[in-house]
Amino acid sequence: MASSSSSSSSVALSFLYQNPIKASLSIPKTFSPYSKLTFPSIASFYSAIPRLDYSNFKKINPCLHCSNLPTASTNNTQYEFSDGSSEVELRLELGQGDVTPKDIYVDANESSLAIRVQQSGIVRTLMETSTLYEKIKPAETIWYIDEDQLVISLKKQNYELKWPDIVESWESLSAGNTQLLRGTSIYLVGESTEINQRIARELAVGLGYTPLCTKELLEAYAKQSMESWVNEEGSDAVAEAERAILESLSSQARAVIATLGGKKGAAGRVNQWRHLFAGFTVWLSLSQATDEESAKEEAKRNMQDSGRGYSNAEVVVKLGGWDPNYSKAVAQAVLSALKRLILADKDLPGKKSLYVRLGCRGDWPDIKPPGWDPSTSIDASSPRS
């Protein structure tokens, strides 16, 4: 049994991901209110999705038109959820009183669902979400009344994907990504060491992974603070030391690794990514953009900047500000992006594993046959080496 609740305010968060061949796509998501967070989105992506025409559907399953009726929201609707091979089933309690099919309104889109019922002259919202766990085939939605329950069957677009819950939430994303990642580690890169650390801890808790921080490992090794190390030997020496740490961690499975931010970090340098490609890389990037559209354009420009090491990241999450109290919201955006990245290419976790087994030779994403020597290849001078 699970519950669904509606929030009085929310903010649109989105992110940009790129697969290993640099094809990119933006997916808008919505989370709990945090006005300081803004992420890029592509409006044309959603405008291209046709809404379901219910003109014929209503003849079989009448829908309630309630523009002139008082409405009420149900903030804690109880529901039962089950996942079959090709569809998911949702059961909601209708409550006391007689309800007929003409009193029910079900509006299903590819990634959203709204369910309302009229009782005693009042229209109640049983459930409304714009973040289903994955896409459905809205035209094949079936619903019926079973005693005091409304039963809704939703046909999945991806039959192979197991849904942990009906909605995309922190809990469902944590459970779902644990299966999708197949033990592949996650590397968090970006300008802020603090942000990388905090989000790494959130992700590690949700996924059941080990949280690791290169800053802590380096300070334990050097027996001095990062600031004093940089002052004594310079940022180049620290970056090289972090590269060695990343090499030793490249064979580590089920870990979330927070890297150093800024100029002293290895991830900001185009020639230090050889071992970062062992896992899924996420760039947590602070943005000066004032709206989602400009943040989207900023993220695209960042990805295309081959002079920045961070542009090699497979996921970019843009933050219009930072408050550690909202670390879980950012971590949820990361999980949502990773889910879509892997679903776009289900072979990615296996390919990452192969890359590690062959020694992280710098040939990502075009993995060369065993025996390939990067030192004798023209690719050895590549920024990805």
Side-chain angles (χ1 to χ4, degrees), residues 218-225:
L218 288 167
E219 288 181 337
Y221 166 77
K223 295 182 173 57
Q224 61 179 327
S225 69

Side-chain angles (χ1 to χ4, degrees), residues 47-91:
S47 63
I49 298 177
R51 290 189 62 81
L52 176 61
D53 181 2
Y54 282 98
S55 57
N56 295 324
F57 188 72
K58 294 174 187 175
K59 296 177 181 178
I60 302 174
N61 295 296
C63 294
L64 172 66
H65 296 278
C66 52
S67 57
N68 296 321
L69 294 173
T71 62
S73 296
T74 303
N75 294 324
N76 198 28
T77 299
Q78 298 297 313
Y79 64 83
E80 299 175 17
F81 171 79
S82 60
D83 183 351
S85 59
S86 63
E87 60 190 28
V88 292
E89 184 180 273
L90 186 65
R91 287 177 171 264

Side-chain angles (χ1 to χ4, degrees), residues 96-108:
Q96 301 296 323
D98 294 332
V99 178
T100 64
K102 68 179 181 180
D103 299 323
I104 303 293
Y105 175 85
V106 176
D107 183 13

Side-chain angles (χ1 to χ4, degrees), residues 193 215 218-219 222 224-241 260-265 269:
T193 303
K215 178 178 182 289
L218 288 167
E219 288 181 337
Q224 61 179 327
S225 69
M226 189 58 57
E227 290 72 20
S228 64
W229 192 352
V230 171
N231 291 335
E232 289 180 12
E233 301 187 35
S235 59
D236 289 346
V238 173
E240 179 58 29
L260 289 175
K263 296 181 180 179
K264 60 181 175 291
R269 301 166 186 240

